[in-house]
Amino acid sequence: MPMDLAKFQELVARAVEDRADLLADPALNPEYKPLAALIDNLLRENQALRHDHRIAVNYIRDKINQMLEVIGTSPLKPEELDEKNLIGLDPLGIISQSFTQILEHSNLINRNLRLARDETRAIFASVGGGLLVMDNDRNILAANNHFREMFSPGADEIVGKRCYEIICGNENQPRESCCFKRMMASGRLASLPDWRFGDKHFSIVATPIRDSLGDIVKCVVLYIDITELIQIRLALDEERERLSTTLESIADGVIAIDNRGSITLMNNAAAEITGWSRAEAVDQPICSVFKVADQGDSRYHGDLLDEIIANNKSKVERLDNTLLLNRQGKWRDIYLSAAPIHQYDRSHAGTIFVFRDITREKRLDEELAKANRLDSLGIFAGGIAHDFNNLLTGILGNVSLARLKTDPDEKNRLLNETEKSTFRAKGLTQQLLTFAKGGMPVKKSVLIGELIKESVEFTLRGSGVSCDLKIADDLLPVEADEDQISQVIQNLVLNSRQAMSDQGGVIELTAGNVEIAADQEPLLAPGRYVKISITDRGSGIPKKIIDQIFDPFFTTKESGSGLGLATSYSIIRKHHGNITVESKRGKGTTFYLYLPAAREKPAAAPKTGTGVTGGSGRILIMDDEELVRKVTGSMLEHSGYDVELADAGAEAIEKYRKAAREGRPFAVVLMDLTIPNGMGGKEAVAALLAIDPAARVIAASGYSNDPVMADYRSYGFRQVIAKPYKIGELNEVVAEVIGAED
């Protein structure tokens, strides 16, 4: 049965799918044979094309895998890229792009390599020493300019030569001390700290360069010129030797310590003074060897050393107030100074102590000072004896004459002269007390203008010198002891008068108010002051002695004692004031006094007279001197008082108790402050006030250095009176205390 069209189409479809041969089918309708033949040819051509496609696909896959291997990637697996997607790729584009990336990467690596090469060349050229690169046969491969300047300046090219031809100056073999030889023998870096080449010194370091197998194939050798360092070291050694010789030749002890306080250096003198040998002392703590203390406290303590070591910025000096306890347990007087040791960067590296045993010198100085004091005391005693003898001559002479006179007026005149001489003696003793670091001022508010006038008139009386007084009308009162300030004015005016040789002339004295600001005058506190200026037109004071004029016993006068200005200075300083001087040779001298202004106005001055004003009441007098007790008692009895006497504090207290029990109490007790080997007034008044808080007690003393005289109320006294005193002064003080309200 002939094959219909549907059957033929089915055969053709199967043939296309299975690639079967259509001509093999005998049932093929003849009319379809031309078409079948055409289809068969097409199938055969298609089969050939398929074969070529497989070859192309395999080729592309192989080339892609080769490319991946070149760029370091694993080959493609079939499941990672099928034929359809593979055919859609642009292999040439991929290869081109990959090779572009490879080339860019290669160029980057080359640029980095060139940069590294340039950096290496720059380092090679600029390194501070000479650099030499050699192979393991000592052939020079490269050398920098520093190397050429060191070993072959102006020579031909040295690359290709052996190192010992250039460095050792030998064409056959290197020196025995060859650093390269040491490196090759040890297989590691080798060094030569000091290698001599001509008059130069070098430090050499040879460093091996190895290949991937670890074999040494090259070597880099560095040469550092240390000639200057060697010269400095030699100079330092010479300086150290000189220092060592110097330290051993001086008499001063020298000890150096580090920051830990351990001894690093000690000379022979230090060993001798401390009693420690250098071998024993080095590395010991400083406080174990160098035991020092303040002279005021001979017990050893480490605070002094700690204070000196802590002060690491400046030199410390402790002159003659330091003691050293040596190893034998003996105290030595030393002069000590210390200074910090600084490094180049000014950091603290330690401390150096320099000290000298001045025990013998100090003993000699003390003996000399004793001798000088005795000499000064002789001058002082001579001047005082002279003045006292003059006063005693006047007193004894007037008393002797008074005995012979029968005329009452003449007797009174002589007694008045005796009284004046006595009070001049009182002023002299006051001067002695002031100079002897006593004489504490009994201060009160004083109008000083009148005091200045009286002092000047008294001092210039009978001389050819006058005074031009300029005292401000609004002059402030001062807080002062009238007697002491009067003494100062008299001393200064007398000094000016003597500078003008008593031959005439005018002393200028001005007094006015001034305000002293903070830091204006170093010795004065800020506040209001009265300034007194005393100017003469004498020859002036030489510059070389002007700083000594306030020193005790210093005088340029043959008959002078050197006490006037020293006493004046002491008085003014105790008043919290100051005294200064200015002088020009041939022009004259000016003294300036500053006294603090008083905060309160002066109290009204008591009425003065002969002092024979009467009174009434019982008075207890306590004094250790029988003569003083009797004279004081007689004065008060003459004035109408009932008097009882006691020679010490205990007796006075017992008599005060007894009088109170008997109903005959004392109105006033007059107590001497100083009772040798007994209870004085300061102790007795406290006990007396414990018995009777209303007791009225007056302090009396021949010493004004006792603080009671300056601040008597704080100790319980109602008033004070200084010995010697006149009957009028005594009566005024007693009457004031009796009449005062509680």
Side-chain angles (χ1 to χ4, degrees):
M1 181 178 177
M3 183 178 296
D4 56 13
L5 181 57
K7 184 66 173 177
F8 178 74
Q9 291 176 341
E10 182 182 347
L11 288 174
V12 172
R14 190 170 62 249
V16 171
E17 181 180 353
D18 299 334
R19 295 178 184 173
D21 191 355
L22 294 175
L23 298 177
D25 191 344
L28 183 64
N29 194 334
E31 60 184 20
Y32 294 143
K33 285 184 178 181
L35 181 57
L38 177 60
I39 293 172
D40 183 62
N41 288 333
L42 291 173
L43 288 173
R44 290 181 186 280
E45 290 178 2
N46 182 58
Q47 188 175 8
L49 289 173
R50 285 187 177 185
H51 178 71
D52 293 340
H53 171 76
R54 175 60 55 190
I55 292 173
V57 168
N58 289 338
Y59 174 80
I60 292 171
R61 187 177 293 278
D62 289 342
K63 295 304 177 183
I64 290 174
N65 285 336
Q66 290 177 12
M67 179 190 69
L68 293 175
E69 288 179 1
V70 168
I71 64 177
T73 306
S74 301
L76 291 172
K77 297 178 181 179
E79 61 269 20
E80 291 178 337
L81 190 64
D82 57 19
E83 292 183 0
K84 181 178 180 181
N85 291 325
L86 188 64
I87 292 299
L89 293 176
D90 181 9
L92 293 177
I94 292 174
I95 293 171
S96 174
Q97 185 177 3
S98 299
F99 274 102
T100 299
Q101 293 176 353
I102 291 170
L103 288 174
E104 289 177 353
H105 183 66
S106 176
N107 289 334
L108 178 60
I109 292 174
N110 288 335
R111 284 196 300 273
N112 290 337
L113 288 174
R114 285 193 298 272
L115 180 60
R117 179 196 63 195
D118 294 341
E119 290 175 350
T120 303
R121 286 178 177 174
I123 294 171
F124 193 73
S126 62
V127 70
L131 277 177
L132 188 66
V133 181
M134 301 184 296
D135 61 19
N136 52 13
D137 289 328
R138 293 189 177 87
N139 294 311
I140 297 175
L141 304 178
N144 68 353
N145 288 333
H146 287 294
F147 179 85
R148 291 183 172 86
E149 292 170 359
M150 287 177 177
F151 299 105
S152 59
D156 297 334
E157 181 59 47
I158 62 175
V159 174
K161 295 182 179 181
R162 292 180 182 269
C163 63
Y164 49 79
E165 296 178 33
I166 305 299
I167 302 171
C168 301
N170 191 333
E171 297 182 359
N172 299 319
Q173 60 182 357
R175 296 181 182 181
E176 287 298 323
S177 60
C178 178
C179 193
F180 177 85
K181 184 177 181 180
R182 293 183 182 182
M183 182 207 70
M184 292 298 293
S186 65
R188 58 180 181 271
L189 181 145
S191 63
L192 199 61
D194 187 5
W195 179 75
R196 187 83 176 266
F197 182 80
D199 59 351
K200 297 284 188 179
H201 293 262
F202 295 91
S203 172
I204 306 175
V205 178
T207 306
I209 299 175
R210 302 177 184 273
D211 61 11
S212 59
L213 299 177
D215 297 328
I216 297 175
V217 294
K218 294 180 183 179
C219 170
V220 176
V221 187
L222 173 64
Y223 297 84
I224 302 295
D225 188 342
I226 59 170
T227 305
E228 186 176 354
L229 179 62
I230 294 296
Q231 292 172 346
I232 293 173
R233 187 181 301 164
L234 292 173
L236 185 60
D237 290 341
E238 293 176 1
E239 186 65 27
R240 186 180 291 111
E241 181 63 26
R242 283 195 294 270
L243 175 62
S244 176
T245 303
T246 302
L247 289 178
E248 297 310 325
S249 64
I250 63 176
D252 289 355
V254 179
I255 295 178
I257 63 171
D258 57 21
N259 271 331
R260 297 177 295 116
S262 299
I263 296 175
T264 58
L265 180 146
M266 185 177 187
N267 70 346
N268 282 335
E272 183 178 348
I273 296 171
T274 62
W276 287 73
S277 69
R278 281 187 290 184
E280 294 173 313
V282 171
D283 293 331
Q284 290 287 334
I286 181 67
C287 58
S288 299
V289 176
F290 195 56
K291 298 183 177 182
V292 294
D294 285 324
Q295 193 173 31
D297 181 5
S298 60
R299 296 172 299 172
Y300 165 70
H301 56 85
D303 294 343
L304 179 57
L305 285 181
D306 292 340
E307 173 190 338
I308 293 174
I309 294 172
N311 189 2
N312 57 27
K313 294 183 179 179
S314 60
K315 184 177 179 181
V316 176
E317 288 192 2
R318 303 181 68 90
L319 299 179
D320 56 354
N321 62 338
T322 306
L323 295 173
L324 167 69
L325 181 64
N326 65 15
R327 201 173 187 183
Q328 290 72 39
K330 295 182 179 179
W331 288 101
R332 312 297 294 174
D333 289 289
I334 64 170
Y335 161 89
L336 171 64
S337 66
I341 301 173
H342 291 135
Q343 294 180 334
Y344 67 93
D345 60 354
R346 304 305 297 165
S347 62
H348 185 241
T351 305
I352 189 163
F353 298 90
V354 180
F355 54 98
R356 183 186 310 150
D357 188 344
I358 58 172
T359 306
R360 183 173 179 274
E361 290 88 338
K362 194 159 187 180
R363 299 297 177 268
L364 292 174
D365 289 343
E366 289 174 354
E367 293 302 320
L368 181 60
K370 288 179 182 178
N372 288 336
R373 283 198 295 271
L374 288 174
D375 290 342
S376 299
L377 187 58
I379 297 171
F380 172 70
I384 296 301
H386 175 270
D387 290 345
F388 261 113
N389 281 332
N390 286 340
L391 292 172
L392 290 175
T393 299
I395 292 171
L396 290 174
N398 286 327
V399 170
S400 299
L401 287 173
R403 281 177 155 180
L404 299 175
K405 298 294 183 179
T406 57
D407 183 3
D409 292 337
E410 189 63 20
K411 282 182 179 286
N412 285 334
R413 184 185 68 79
L414 292 172
L415 290 174
N416 286 335
E417 291 296 327
T418 302
E419 186 179 63
K420 289 180 182 179
S421 297
T422 303
F423 275 89
R424 285 181 61 193
K426 175 185 177 181
L428 186 58
T429 58
Q430 181 66 32
Q431 184 173 345
L432 285 171
L433 287 171
T434 302
F435 177 70
K437 295 185 178 179
M440 292 301 295
V442 181
K443 294 185 288 185
K444 61 181 179 180
S445 183
V446 176
L447 290 173
I448 197 172
E450 193 61 33
L451 181 66
I452 293 172
K453 293 178 182 178
E454 292 176 358
S455 301
V456 170
E457 289 174 1
F458 177 80
T459 307
L460 297 181
R461 188 176 299 143
S463 72
V465 178
S466 62
C467 184
D468 180 11
L469 284 171
K470 296 178 180 177
I471 299 175
D473 294 335
D474 61 345
L475 194 66
L476 295 169
V478 296
E479 197 75 26
D481 183 313
E482 288 183 279
D483 290 338
Q484 290 191 2
I485 297 303
S486 176
Q487 181 182 342
V488 171
I489 301 297
Q490 291 178 38
N491 286 341
L492 295 179
V493 172
L494 178 61
N495 194 77
S496 297
R497 172 184 137 182
Q498 291 172 342
M500 298 170 71
S501 303
D502 285 343
Q503 295 177 357
V506 178
I507 296 173
E508 297 176 7
L509 190 151
T510 62
N513 304 320
V514 293
E515 184 82 20
I516 300 297
D519 300 327
Q520 182 179 342
E521 290 286 343
L523 297 180
L524 296 178
R528 296 189 301 171
Y529 289 80
V530 169
K531 179 181 179 182
I532 303 170
S533 304
I534 302 174
T535 303
D536 65 59
R537 301 301 175 197
S539 59
I541 303 172
K543 286 185 178 180
K544 63 181 180 180
I545 66 169
I546 196 167
D547 292 333
Q548 305 174 56
I549 63 172
F550 294 113
D551 294 345
F553 307 117
F554 179 82
T555 180
T556 59
K557 305 179 182 71
E558 292 183 4
S559 60
S561 64
L563 291 178
L565 292 179
T567 303
S568 298
Y569 183 83
S570 175
I571 290 173
I572 296 300
R573 292 301 297 144
K574 287 174 182 176
H575 279 75
H576 305 293
N578 194 25
I579 179 171
T580 61
V581 61
E582 291 181 356
S583 185
K584 291 183 180 180
R585 288 295 277 168
K587 299 292 185 181
T589 302
T590 300
F591 286 92
Y592 299 100
L593 298 180
Y594 295 86
L595 289 170
R599 296 182 180 179
E600 299 177 357
K601 293 182 179 180
K607 295 181 180 179
T608 59
T610 61
V612 191
T613 304
S616 63
R618 302 192 69 226
I619 298 178
L620 176 61
I621 301 170
M622 186 269 284
D623 200 294
D624 63 313
E625 287 288 341
E626 183 180 5
L627 177 61
V628 175
R629 291 198 303 270
K630 287 183 176 180
V631 170
T632 303
S634 297
M635 288 181 180
L636 292 174
E637 286 176 347
H638 179 79
S639 299
Y641 295 102
D642 183 10
V643 175
E644 194 162 340
L645 307 178
D647 62 1
E651 183 183 359
I653 292 170
E654 183 57 35
K655 288 190 173 185
Y656 193 89
R657 279 199 182 104
K658 182 181 178 182
R661 286 196 303 267
E662 294 175 352
R664 300 168 55 246
F666 291 106
V668 171
V669 180
L670 181 65
M671 285 187 173
D672 185 15
L673 287 179
T674 307
I675 304 292
N677 302 318
M679 183 188 294
K682 185 165 63 174
E683 297 81 8
V685 71
L688 201 59
L689 291 173
I691 298 170
D692 180 11
R696 301 171 183 244
V697 187
I698 300 170
S701 179
Y703 297 95
S704 59
N705 60 331
D706 197 305
V708 173
M709 297 297 286
D711 191 18
Y712 59 89
R713 292 190 182 277
S714 298
Y715 294 87
F717 293 100
R718 296 294 185 97
Q719 192 51 271
V720 292
I721 187 168
K723 300 176 184 177
Y725 38 76
K726 295 186 291 185
I727 188 171
E729 292 178 272
L730 182 61
N731 281 334
E732 287 174 359
V733 171
V734 171
E736 178 187 344
V737 173
I738 291 177
E741 296 180 359
D742 288 331

